[in-house]
Amino acid sequence: MDLLWVLSVSMLAACVAIPMDAAAGSHSLFTCEPITLRLCQGLPYNSTFMPNIMNHYDQQTAALAMEPFHPMVNLQCSPDLRMFLCAIYAPVCTEYGRMTSPCRRLCLQAKSDCYQLMDMFGVGWPEEMDCNRFPDCDEPYPRPVDLLSSSDTAESPISVQRDYGFWCPRELKIEPELGYSFMGVRDCSPPCPNMYFTREELTFARYFIGVVSIVCLSATLFTFLTFLIDVSRFRYPERPIIFYAVCYMMVSLVFFLGFLLEDRVSCNAASPGRFRASTVTQGSHNKACTLLFMVLYFFTMAGSVWWVILTITWFLAAVPKWGSEAIEKKALLFHACAWGVPGVLTVTLLAMNKIEGDSVSGVCFVGLYNLTALRWFLLAPLGLDVVVGVVLLLAGIAALNRVRMEIPLEKENQEKLVKFMIRIGVFSILYLVPLLTVIACYFYESSYRTIWETTWVQEKCRDYHIPCPYKVESTSRPDLALFLIKYLMMLIVGIPSVFWVGSKKTCFEWASFFHGKRRKDGLVNDSHQVLQEPDFAQLLYRNPNTPIVRKSRGTSTQGTSTHASSTHLAMLDEPPSASTSRAGSVRSARSKMSSYHGSLHRSRDGRYTASSFRAAEERLPYGSMPRLSDQSRHCSTNRLDSLSRHDSTLRLESQSRHSSIRDLSSSTQVVLGVPGNGIHRMLDENGAPS
């Protein structure tokens, strides 16, 4: 019965130990405040200072921590226990920032007297109350000097102040299981709406981002649909531009969704009944925020990787002279890098729980409040992509410029090569300038984020009843224009893809698409259409004295026999007159094809060497074309008397079939002028009217 009475008294004491003015909120501006704990009433002092020695935020928190010791105090196991507990949880208030601790003797005496009773109730002596942490003295608490007012002390209050760091306000506290963090404090989250800007500024920024995202979404969607209309038109080395456009199409789509959702996903709702304000969403507990983050971060990183792959393909086409088929054989490796690396980074951030809501744009991203994540998961990958891409781009442009300077070309081809180099340069500048601006904005945020946060704490410390910063050297607030430029550059970096696909041919394709007149594959592979410009890859190996041979405009990427035979037929001179027989044409074709067989040797990696061009030059010296034409006419006249038209037809078919087989084994698309070479295909695209 006595035990029940003791427990009842203990529970009653625990209830009344809660601060009487708990409903009034937290303590007052970290100054001396009246003691509201019932357990510490009637002491030689009546005012205390927070935070206390145990780093409790306010008296309500201190009362909850004292609750396990209430039975021992009520049973009066030690006359020193009550004073010792109040010295720790509600210390006497002296000057601002000055802490007084009880003597070690007082701690040891209270612990030895109540140790057995505490063991009976199952209460252990906390590590925070280890007696060795207190000064070794034998004085009562409070000391007489502690009871003097701050005005009676010779020491200035400012000289004894100390930096308490950032204390998370009660309104911004979050449940511990969510793993939130803000300014290095766990279980805390930034306020929402944004802590730096007013609501009017945020409204303007949200509509600005929404308009820019619509423009970028339209541009990248146009690029992707142009690709779908004619898939065979965009081959390597320019195929990565399409995937690059798709990535930034998804990025702009996420920002557009953020504009529609406002802050419903990026912010947690307020709970007035629990004294909780609206805070920024963090972690992966919010499924919608997690999904937006995954799509936005993955495609942002993938877009930058695809640009690096684009520079790699340009480098392979310009420097080692790889053809489209040789580059396309590495497509699986390109896709593995472009999608694999961003995937690994995204999963890593999910595992580290580094997702943060952006109350400005309404999306969820990384590095908005965590500087470590900003530096390692945004600045480092983007900076590496820029360095690698610029090096490869400059090497490719230098190789093309060497071709223009060292190899004599016709005036028309010189102009096309110069235009192509300008096209590559303009496209690269349109990509690099926005990306470098975004990186510069991230660097600026990384450098000034701490100052911005300190300024915010200094302005809001009295409203939140938290310690104000100590000795603030400089204050600064971010400019809204900086954030608007960052979001603008993040979105318009995908618009340069329209510059690449924009041409007369694109207009004709869209006109044909809307009129229902889509081109057939047979028209694309028409072998009788003759190009009006030479293959620039062949010109790298050609002797300047060798005549330029015009070739077929076939578009087959697999080197079929039909395409090979049509290429050889395109090498013939102008069609013979009516008086010339087909047999003479066969002999003329045979003589010409014998001059071009085995012109290049194909290596295992898909590249070609000019090992046998010397033989071609010996067989077909400069100026031999008229003699071949005269000889073919003479032979055709003699053969008219002995060969029938039927025999000529059989020979033509046999020769065409034989040439197709030999072309598959020894000829290459680079020398025969097939648009398989990467640079040649892009020159065709730049020069073709439709």
Side-chain angles (χ1 to χ4, degrees), residues 316-557:
L316 294 177
V319 179
K321 311 300 182 298
W322 283 28
S324 295
E325 285 76 10
I327 300 176
E328 193 168 2
K329 289 180 180 178
K330 307 297 181 181
L332 184 60
L333 178 61
F334 294 155
H335 282 276
C337 295
W339 307 122
V341 173
V344 171
L345 293 176
T346 304
V347 172
T348 302
L349 287 172
L350 288 174
M352 297 174 63
N353 211 30
K354 296 298 183 181
I355 305 173
E356 297 169 344
D358 186 1
S359 56
V360 177
S361 62
V363 301
C364 293
F365 204 52
V366 62
L368 300 171
Y369 300 96
N370 191 310
L371 291 178
T372 303
L374 172 64
R375 291 163 182 165
W376 288 103
F377 290 93
L378 283 178
L379 287 176
L382 293 178
L384 181 62
D385 291 344
V386 169
V387 172
V388 175
V390 168
V391 170
L392 294 174
L393 179 67
L394 294 178
I397 293 179
L400 291 179
N401 187 62
R402 180 179 58 83
V403 173
R404 184 180 66 87
M405 299 296 294
E406 296 181 0
I407 299 180
L409 303 176
E410 298 176 357
K411 181 179 180 181
E412 179 184 0
N413 297 324
Q414 282 276 5
E415 293 178 354
K416 289 183 178 180
L417 184 58
V418 171
K419 289 181 180 179
F420 176 69
M421 294 174 60
I422 295 175
R423 196 180 182 196
I424 292 178
V426 173
F427 177 82
S428 302
I429 291 175
L430 290 177
Y431 174 81
L432 286 175
V433 170
L435 183 60
L436 291 176
T437 304
V438 172
I439 294 177
C441 291
Y442 284 143
F443 267 114
Y444 186 80
E445 286 188 41
S446 176
S447 302
Y448 285 86
R449 179 73 60 78
T450 304
I451 298 177
W452 296 343
E453 291 173 346
T454 303
T455 303
W456 174 80
V457 173
Q458 187 180 34
E459 294 176 353
K460 299 294 183 179
C461 60
R462 289 173 176 79
D463 297 336
Y464 283 124
H465 303 287
I466 58 177
C468 294
Y470 176 61
K471 290 184 179 181
V472 178
E473 297 179 356
S474 61
T475 59
S476 176
R477 292 180 60 87
D479 191 357
L480 180 63
L482 172 69
F483 284 79
L484 295 181
I485 291 175
K486 181 184 72 172
Y487 292 118
L488 175 65
M489 296 303 170
M490 287 180 65
L491 288 168
I492 68 171
V493 73
I495 296 180
S497 59
V498 178
F499 167 80
W500 190 266
V501 302
S503 63
K504 293 181 180 180
K505 186 172 184 178
T506 300
C507 297
F508 289 141
E509 286 183 349
W510 277 99
S512 300
F513 175 78
F514 284 119
H515 287 83
K517 298 178 180 179
R518 301 191 61 179
R519 290 190 308 174
K520 298 181 180 179
D521 294 338
L523 294 178
V524 176
N525 295 324
D526 188 4
S527 61
H528 295 285
Q529 185 177 359
V530 180
L531 288 180
Q532 299 301 320
E533 65 273 354
D535 192 339
F536 284 94
Q538 178 184 352
L539 291 174
L540 295 176
Y541 306 105
R542 185 181 64 83
N543 189 294
N545 296 325
T546 305
I548 298 175
V549 181
R550 307 190 182 278
K551 294 168 283 292
S552 169
R553 194 187 178 181
T555 57
S556 173
T557 61

Side-chain angles (χ1 to χ4, degrees), residues 161-181:
Q161 284 186 352
R162 62 188 177 97
D163 188 9
Y164 291 97
F166 174 69
W167 284 67
C168 183
R170 181 177 61 177
E171 294 84 353
L172 304 182
K173 283 187 173 294
I174 304 296
E175 290 75 8
E177 61 271 12
L178 297 179
Y180 280 32
S181 174

Side-chain angles (χ1 to χ4, degrees), residues 154-393:
E155 194 173 15
S156 174
I158 299 179
S159 62
V160 297
Q161 284 186 352
R162 62 188 177 97
D163 188 9
Y164 291 97
F166 174 69
W167 284 67
C168 183
R170 181 177 61 177
E171 294 84 353
L172 304 182
K173 283 187 173 294
I174 304 296
E175 290 75 8
E177 61 271 12
L178 297 179
Y180 280 32
S181 174
F182 176 48
M183 294 181 63
V185 178
R186 296 182 58 85
D187 306 329
C188 190
S189 184
C192 197
N194 192 272
M195 55 191 287
Y196 302 127
F197 308 115
T198 63
R199 290 188 177 274
E200 292 75 14
E201 292 176 332
L202 292 176
T203 302
F204 173 77
R206 180 168 290 113
Y207 278 96
F208 176 82
I209 296 172
V211 172
V212 177
S213 64
I214 293 174
V215 174
C216 181
L217 180 62
S218 303
T220 52
L221 183 61
F222 172 79
T223 302
F224 182 59
L225 294 179
T226 302
F227 167 73
L228 294 180
I229 290 178
D230 188 1
V231 178
S232 62
R233 173 184 170 187
F234 300 97
R235 294 176 55 204
Y236 287 95
E238 53 185 345
R239 177 67 65 85
I241 295 178
I242 305 303
F243 301 115
Y244 156 87
V246 171
C247 291
Y248 284 99
M249 179 180 69
M250 298 302 298
V251 169
S252 57
L253 178 61
V254 172
F255 275 105
F256 180 68
L257 291 177
F259 164 72
L260 297 179
L261 295 172
E262 296 182 349
D263 57 359
R264 289 191 289 271
V265 173
S266 59
C267 297
N268 298 315
S271 300
R274 302 175 57 190
F275 301 100
R276 295 289 188 268
S278 178
T279 56
V280 172
T281 302
Q282 296 184 35
S284 57
H285 69 94
N286 189 322
K287 305 306 178 184
C289 182
T290 303
L291 181 61
L292 290 179
F293 158 76
M294 292 175 61
V295 176
L296 180 57
Y297 182 78
F298 176 82
F299 283 103
T300 299
M301 293 294 106
S304 63
V305 175
W306 272 118
W307 183 79
V308 174
I309 294 176
L310 178 63
T311 60
I312 292 175
T313 57
W314 279 345
F315 176 82
L316 294 177
V319 179
K321 311 300 182 298
W322 283 28
S324 295
E325 285 76 10
I327 300 176
E328 193 168 2
K329 289 180 180 178
K330 307 297 181 181
L332 184 60
L333 178 61
F334 294 155
H335 282 276
C337 295
W339 307 122
V341 173
V344 171
L345 293 176
T346 304
V347 172
T348 302
L349 287 172
L350 288 174
M352 297 174 63
N353 211 30
K354 296 298 183 181
I355 305 173
E356 297 169 344
D358 186 1
S359 56
V360 177
S361 62
V363 301
C364 293
F365 204 52
V366 62
L368 300 171
Y369 300 96
N370 191 310
L371 291 178
T372 303
L374 172 64
R375 291 163 182 165
W376 288 103
F377 290 93
L378 283 178
L379 287 176
L382 293 178
L384 181 62
D385 291 344
V386 169
V387 172
V388 175
V390 168
V391 170
L392 294 174
L393 179 67

Side-chain angles (χ1 to χ4, degrees), residues 4 61 67 69 87 112 241 270 301 396 442 452 472 478 487 643 666 681:
L4 292 177
T61 306
E67 186 175 346
F69 297 97
S112 61
I241 295 178
M301 293 294 106
Y442 284 143
W452 296 343
V472 178
Y487 292 118
L643 296 176
S666 62
R681 279 193 54 81

